[in-house]
Amino acid sequence: MPKRKILIVDDENDFTTMVKLNLEATGRYDVMVENIAVNAVNAALGYKPDLILLDVIMPGTEGPDIVSNMKEHAGLRDIPIVFLTATVRKAEVEQENGEIGGHVFIAKPCSLTELIDAIENQFKDTG
Amino acid sequence: MIEDMKKKLNVLLVENSPMDCKMLKEMLSKSAYGSFISQSTDSLKSALEMISQDGFDVVLLDLNLQDSKGLETLKKLREACPQLPIVVNTGAYEDDLGLRAVTQGAQDYLIKGKYKPYGLSKSLYYAVERKNAEENLHSAYQRQKDIQAQLIQAEKMNVIGGVASGVAHEVKNPLATIMYGIEFLCMKIDAKDEKIKLTLSSIKDAAQKANNIIKDLLDFASLSNLHCRPEDLNSIVEQSVNFVKYQCDNASIKVIRDYDEKLPRVDIDKNRVEQVLVDIMLNALHAMKRGGRLTVRTSTKTFSKKDRDLTCDEIAAEEGAVLVVVEIDDTGTGISKESLSKLFDPFYTTRRAGGGVGLGLSIAKTIMTNHEGCISLLNRPEGGARARLVFKASEKPAG
């Protein structure tokens, strides 16, 4: 089975390094890291990921703005996005059944299992 | 104009002289001002017994009795009955004594032989009104003080909450990095080396503890955001019990349930209240390391300002309001005297060595306050402790 391509957009370099290492260690994913938020759309256009892990609060531009920009590109608007962010509490996410404002959220920190479950759930919906 | 002039006053005459007592009774029966029923006694001891058995509206007190003299008589009566209006009835040579009596808690004083039935009657009615006014003023002052204290506490909590929220948010990212790093190392490093296994396991546990502390801090900071709706408290209590049931079974703790089937609904944030209940139950379990009994009880009460038994002074409810009470009793070691007054203080804990950061009960208290309810923790006379949560009902009980 071909590996899923995951783009992670987050300004915390140490965090993205760890996420990449862990996801790729499973053998199921190829991960590209983008630490500069304003480059996110170009990174996605070049890499063509199957899913994007997106932080909310970043220098330069914020996660929701990146989502709006991506919708203007035909090749990007259907890519599933999961917000992976420290700005919400786990209890808040659970209270809203994992979705806030129509987007999927995971509260940092979460376990690798929770992260993989959230990724795979997106692919269940899209096939 | 006195509000309720038609109310018949029940007067206790505490008078040493039988002749004076007879005259007073006659005056009261003939007075054109108000109406009275009266009883009499000539000793302070007997007066205190009569007051405890009967609902007197006012006392007419001779300071010089068989078993008590002077202002000491007033002091003892006032201490025993702080809310009862007292009119001091003194001899002519004791004018100064009467003035001092008023400054020491009597509502009025009369000089024997210097008043007529009308004046006596007015003095008794006015004493009742004056005492009511004093009580209302005292209540208003106390409410003001309480509100002031609450505002100061709320401001403290806001500041702590703001700092906690900021710190927690900044720490979450590096913590996430550490946790993923540990997971990766656990996957990759040779698991046969026991020391390496132990090291990784210890780091993982420490990271998880740090995560729990962050969670507590963020909970503390977000306590004002409640999502309330009418809920069945019995089912929430039962869910909380189920959450701790496994630990109870492991620790040989028997769980006893005593639920009021007709419990009214309460407007609450279910998740927050469950958080409080589970926290209290876990504290109870912690106090019963060698087994014991955990009793969980729900009931309905009617609020009365005179109800000392409720031991929940902070609840602001109307007289007669329906309250829903949850009690959690344990048969553990009880709460030390030193801890009793600090239990709800932020960051106070007796379990620092175990990783406790001391926010659990502070959060619980704030959650209850935000629900317009209250929480108390007391030692039980028979041993162990009782946690009591009181909520206002959102509707009257069915049936």
Side-chain angles (χ1 to χ4, degrees), chain B residues 72-180:
Chain B
E72 192 61 22
T73 312
L74 172 64
K75 186 181 169 201
K76 286 178 185 165
L77 185 62
R78 182 42 86 225
E79 275 169 11
C81 323
Q83 286 164 336
L84 193 57
I86 300 173
V87 175
V88 162
N89 195 23
T90 75
Y93 59 92
E94 293 170 344
D95 196 15
D96 175 58
L97 192 63
L99 279 170
R100 280 190 281 143
V102 167
T103 59
Q104 289 182 30
Q107 273 56 61
D108 203 354
Y109 74 95
L110 297 167
I111 301 173
K112 288 185 182 182
K114 299 279 185 188
Y115 52 83
K116 293 188 176 167
Y118 186 79
L120 171 63
S121 309
K122 263 181 75 169
S123 176
L124 292 171
Y125 271 98
Y126 280 16
V128 170
E129 284 305 304
R130 204 168 289 126
K131 190 63 180 162
N132 283 342
E134 278 172 24
E135 290 295 311
N136 288 341
L137 194 62
H138 179 76
S139 297
Y141 171 70
Q142 199 54 49
R143 270 200 307 276
Q144 178 112 1
K145 265 184 75 175
D146 290 345
I147 289 168
Q148 206 164 27
Q150 280 171 31
L151 283 170
I152 290 169
Q153 184 66 5
E155 187 57 27
K156 265 194 221 166
M157 300 283 269
N158 269 342
V159 168
I160 293 172
V163 169
S165 178
V167 166
H169 182 260
E170 291 304 311
V171 170
K172 274 167 92 175
N173 273 316
L175 192 58
T177 303
I178 291 169
M179 287 169 79
Y180 283 138

Side-chain angles (χ1 to χ4, degrees), chain B residues 1-19:
Chain B
M1 174 76 179
I2 290 175
E3 227 174 77
D4 198 356
M5 274 295 303
K6 290 184 183 159
K7 184 187 171 196
K8 190 173 258 190
L9 288 187
N10 189 0
V11 184
L12 176 62
L13 304 170
V14 187
E15 176 55 57
N16 196 37
S17 156
M19 254 186 61

Side-chain angles (χ1 to χ4, degrees), chain B residues 299-312:
Chain B
S299 60
T300 311
K301 272 195 192 305
T302 304
F303 178 73
S304 165
K305 283 177 186 144
K306 292 178 195 163
D307 189 352
R308 303 279 177 215
D309 184 46
L310 211 53
T311 58
C312 207

Side-chain angles (χ1 to χ4, degrees), chain A residues 22 86 88-89 108 110 112, chain B residues 172-173 180-181 183 219 271:
Chain A
N22 276 283
V88 295
R89 295 179 300 121
K108 280 180 194 171
C110 67
L112 183 62
Chain B
K172 274 167 92 175
N173 273 316
Y180 283 138
E183 293 219 40
D219 275 351
N271 290 334

Side-chain angles (χ1 to χ4, degrees), chain B residues 85-300:
Chain B
I86 300 173
V87 175
V88 162
N89 195 23
T90 75
Y93 59 92
E94 293 170 344
D95 196 15
D96 175 58
L97 192 63
L99 279 170
R100 280 190 281 143
V102 167
T103 59
Q104 289 182 30
Q107 273 56 61
D108 203 354
Y109 74 95
L110 297 167
I111 301 173
K112 288 185 182 182
K114 299 279 185 188
Y115 52 83
K116 293 188 176 167
Y118 186 79
L120 171 63
S121 309
K122 263 181 75 169
S123 176
L124 292 171
Y125 271 98
Y126 280 16
V128 170
E129 284 305 304
R130 204 168 289 126
K131 190 63 180 162
N132 283 342
E134 278 172 24
E135 290 295 311
N136 288 341
L137 194 62
H138 179 76
S139 297
Y141 171 70
Q142 199 54 49
R143 270 200 307 276
Q144 178 112 1
K145 265 184 75 175
D146 290 345
I147 289 168
Q148 206 164 27
Q150 280 171 31
L151 283 170
I152 290 169
Q153 184 66 5
E155 187 57 27
K156 265 194 221 166
M157 300 283 269
N158 269 342
V159 168
I160 293 172
V163 169
S165 178
V167 166
H169 182 260
E170 291 304 311
V171 170
K172 274 167 92 175
N173 273 316
L175 192 58
T177 303
I178 291 169
M179 287 169 79
Y180 283 138
I182 297 297
E183 293 219 40
F184 182 75
L185 288 174
C186 286
M187 259 195 280
K188 292 293 180 186
I189 285 178
D190 181 4
K192 289 180 197 143
D193 188 320
E194 285 301 320
K195 286 184 183 167
I196 291 177
K197 263 174 72 176
L198 181 64
T199 303
L200 288 174
S201 158
S202 300
I203 297 171
K204 200 172 182 180
D205 287 346
Q208 191 54 52
K209 264 189 204 159
N211 193 26
N212 291 342
I213 291 167
I214 298 294
K215 180 187 165 303
D216 273 352
L217 281 171
L218 285 175
D219 275 351
F220 186 75
S222 72
L223 290 172
S224 54
N225 301 334
L226 293 181
H227 303 281
C228 291
R229 56 181 195 204
E231 299 278 1
D232 170 21
L233 202 51
N234 278 340
S235 74
I236 293 170
V237 171
E238 182 61 18
Q239 277 165 33
S240 307
V241 168
N242 289 338
F243 191 86
V244 302
K245 188 73 173 52
Y246 176 73
Q247 283 145 296
C248 289
D249 293 341
N250 278 355
S252 307
I253 294 169
K254 188 176 175 190
V255 178
I256 298 169
R257 297 161 173 85
D258 178 13
Y259 298 157
D260 178 352
E261 298 299 323
K262 291 183 182 173
L263 209 66
R265 289 187 169 259
V266 288
D267 287 319
I268 54 172
D269 182 322
K270 183 181 159 189
N271 290 334
R272 290 301 197 180
V273 170
E274 205 172 288
Q275 182 182 350
V276 171
L277 289 166
V278 168
D279 207 47
I280 289 172
M281 288 177 195
L282 289 174
N283 282 346
L285 265 56
H286 184 80
M288 293 188 282
K289 286 203 180 349
R290 291 178 191 173
R293 211 167 49 245
L294 183 75
T295 306
V296 185
R297 188 182 303 112
T298 62
S299 60
T300 311

Side-chain angles (χ1 to χ4, degrees), chain B residues 150 226 228 266-268 273 310-317 322-325 364-376 388-393:
Chain B
Q150 280 171 31
L226 293 181
C228 291
V266 288
D267 287 319
I268 54 172
V273 170
L310 211 53
T311 58
C312 207
D313 297 327
E314 295 114 24
I315 196 157
V322 178
L323 302 177
V324 173
V325 182
K365 186 175 166 90
T366 304
I367 289 172
M368 289 306 296
T369 304
N370 289 347
H371 279 93
E372 293 186 348
C374 64
I375 180 172
S376 63
R388 179 183 275 150
L389 285 71
V390 183
F391 300 87
K392 292 183 195 174

